[in-house]
Amino acid sequence: MKEGKREHTVLVLTVTVLFNMLIIMLSGISALGRTELDKGWRVIFHQRTYNDVDLNSFRLPYKVSRGDRVILEREIPVDIGSDKALAFRTSLSNVTVYINRRVSYMYMNNIAAGEKTPGSGMNAVVLPDNARGGECQVIITAGNDHAFNRLPAFYIVDAWNGSAIQLNISPAVSLIGFFLTSLGVIVLCLSFVMIFFGIAAPERVFVTGLMSFLIGIWSLYSSNVFELFSSDFTMNTRIGILCLYASVIPFDSLIVMVRGARRRKRWLLAVGIMAPIVFIIVAAVLDIRGKIFVSGLYWLNMLVSAISIIITISSTGKKYERKNNRVFSLGIDVMTAGIIIDIIRYLIVNSIRIRLSGLERSLIPFFALAYVIIILYSYMVDIGELYLEQSGDAILKELAYTDPLTGLLNRASYNLSVKNLTGGKRVYTMISLDVNGLKIVNDTMGHEAGDMLIKDSASVLSAIFKETDKVIRMGGDEFLVISEKKSRGRLASKLRRMEKLLTIRSRKRPYDISISYGIASSDEDLTSSADNVYRLADQRMYEMKKQMKKERGSL
């Protein structure tokens, strides 16, 4: 890796790590008002009672089936203060909470035949004034087979601020979710602006923004922020999970855009890209028909996503059309590693069936944040390099077709113009012009004065013709005007204005400025080439020059 590429990589990784550290630090500050309530519970499950349970280390002895109930009981601490709430997240379960043997909270407490599956979400129970030191009983009823395999974490949070109940439980993921969602919306809008103005590679910006938005929505769901806007856990779960399932599609698309498809493996690439699309369609159909709830396919989605990414990467090459695509590839590697690590985390947590505080939350939002930062940074660097190259090409092109002395078009530009005119049916006119007296000025006043005479002549021609016609310096004291306007009267008027402006300019110089010219049009001979039209105009210019010499001689 070259030094410049290494510096780019180190810089973007440093920014990513610092940003994640900032998120974690802010989340720590926002969680200061949260108190964990995990010890001292009585757990009743399958007619067995477990006393003085620490929910962090308690392992359910049996797999949960639909309709199974777990009852948790304990006393509310007397020192919790006032205006507090009991918060805990449940998965696909009905919930009933009793405080001092009175119902304080219910969520879909009945499981009837055909009733919709309860979703996953944060339950917030505002504690009454007499709750301190009182008895708390929480009944969790599984709404689906394997609805959960470990007991939830309980927290005491401030009840006076409704948003604190949700945001204080998983503040880091909440902040990342807000950031990714808002950034995704901005980037998606930016991609449409880029399409409208024809800016390079808007499709990469679009898929990056789409993935950022989808992961952001899922992060907001998994961090319980959805409950700020909707209390329908089932719908919240459906939206959040489907967004996660769909996020692999733009990710696969970016892999193909950056690395390029291998011709011999295009069929395999099609399988890799279509696999998550087919999976989402099947999952949605099964959910609509009530066969299975979408979250029940979470583990299968992770497997399909991993296989899809592996197939897509193996079916693409390392095209690297631009040098900075290597940093794009770094972002892809980071996100791929994040998905694999999260699969391992999920398998560990679900096989152990106890709460591991450091592994409870998905790591995908953190890796997605790193991925988006890397991709957007790389894209900005890439666009910057592209426009620098285009600017350099524009400068070189301008130098190639511009006369350095006068700033007009040069002979190379004439050759290009002739190619464009050849074979067409457009009518055009050429005016061949020659500056009079250049040799005399060079011999008597020096070549600097001669160059000034050429510049003065070019300045007048530019002022008269340049806005509507091409003005070319053919070399030495010879100029050419190419006009595709049909009005010959317009050209005659311009030539009269040219002669007047030359007379005015001559009054300010130690030499006279005059120009001989000849005019020829392509419609004089439809079989003539552009070069023939130019030669005819040049011939008429020399005839005018001879006539002017005769008139000066007679005087």
Side-chain angles (χ1 to χ4, degrees), residues 167-183:
L167 299 181
N168 281 5
I169 304 304
S170 51
V173 180
S174 300
L175 290 173
I176 292 176
F178 278 120
F179 178 80
L180 291 177
T181 303
S182 56
L183 181 65

Side-chain angles (χ1 to χ4, degrees), residues 143-387:
N144 208 352
D145 291 340
H146 311 297
F148 56 90
N149 61 4
R150 54 198 179 277
L151 298 180
F154 287 83
Y155 303 95
I156 299 294
V157 296
D158 293 326
W160 57 269
N161 186 355
S163 61
I165 297 175
Q166 281 77 20
L167 299 181
N168 281 5
I169 304 304
S170 51
V173 180
S174 300
L175 290 173
I176 292 176
F178 278 120
F179 178 80
L180 291 177
T181 303
S182 56
L183 181 65
V185 172
I186 293 172
V187 172
L188 284 172
C189 294
L190 178 62
S191 68
F192 290 112
V193 173
M194 294 172 67
I195 293 172
F196 181 79
F197 288 102
I199 301 175
E203 64 280 356
R204 292 188 183 183
V205 176
F206 176 81
V207 296
T208 302
L210 181 59
M211 182 174 176
S212 178
F213 177 77
L214 293 173
I215 294 291
I217 292 294
W218 178 74
S219 300
L220 292 178
Y221 153 72
S222 64
S223 61
N224 317 303
V225 176
F226 270 22
E227 279 84 83
L228 295 175
F229 310 100
S230 171
S231 59
D232 187 345
F233 289 2
T234 301
M235 184 56 66
N236 294 347
T237 302
R238 184 174 284 118
I239 293 173
I241 292 296
L242 286 176
C243 283
L244 176 65
Y245 291 177
S247 62
V248 72
I249 298 173
F251 183 59
D252 281 346
S253 301
L254 185 65
I255 293 175
V256 177
M257 292 175 189
V258 173
R259 297 169 63 95
R262 294 182 182 179
R263 291 184 179 179
R264 296 181 180 180
K265 293 189 176 182
R266 287 187 176 177
W267 65 270
L268 188 61
L269 178 61
V271 172
I273 293 177
M274 289 301 298
I277 298 175
V278 173
F279 176 82
I280 293 172
I281 295 173
V282 172
V285 171
L286 291 176
D287 181 70
I288 292 172
R289 295 176 64 88
K291 300 296 183 181
I292 191 171
F293 194 54
V294 285
S295 63
L297 299 172
Y298 184 85
W299 67 272
L300 184 58
N301 168 73
M302 299 185 75
L303 180 62
V304 170
S305 298
I307 294 174
S308 171
I309 292 170
I310 292 172
I311 291 176
T312 302
I313 291 176
S314 64
S315 305
T316 54
K318 292 185 178 180
K319 184 169 55 174
Y320 298 140
E321 290 179 348
R322 303 193 58 76
K323 294 182 292 184
N324 206 47
N325 274 0
R326 298 183 183 274
V327 187
F328 271 102
S329 189
L330 171 65
I332 291 171
D333 293 341
V334 167
M335 193 64 209
T336 303
I339 293 173
I340 295 173
I341 291 173
D342 201 64
I343 291 175
I344 297 172
R345 177 205 65 84
Y346 180 81
L347 294 175
I348 291 174
V349 170
N350 283 271
S351 61
I352 295 177
R353 299 210 306 272
I354 61 174
R355 277 200 290 113
L356 301 174
S357 57
L359 298 178
E360 281 299 304
R361 293 292 176 185
S362 172
L363 301 176
I364 287 180
F366 294 93
F367 283 98
L369 177 63
Y371 162 81
V372 170
I373 292 175
I374 292 172
I375 294 300
L376 292 180
Y377 171 84
S378 304
Y379 185 82
M380 288 188 290
V381 172
D382 205 32
I383 288 295
E385 291 180 354
L386 177 63
Y387 278 99

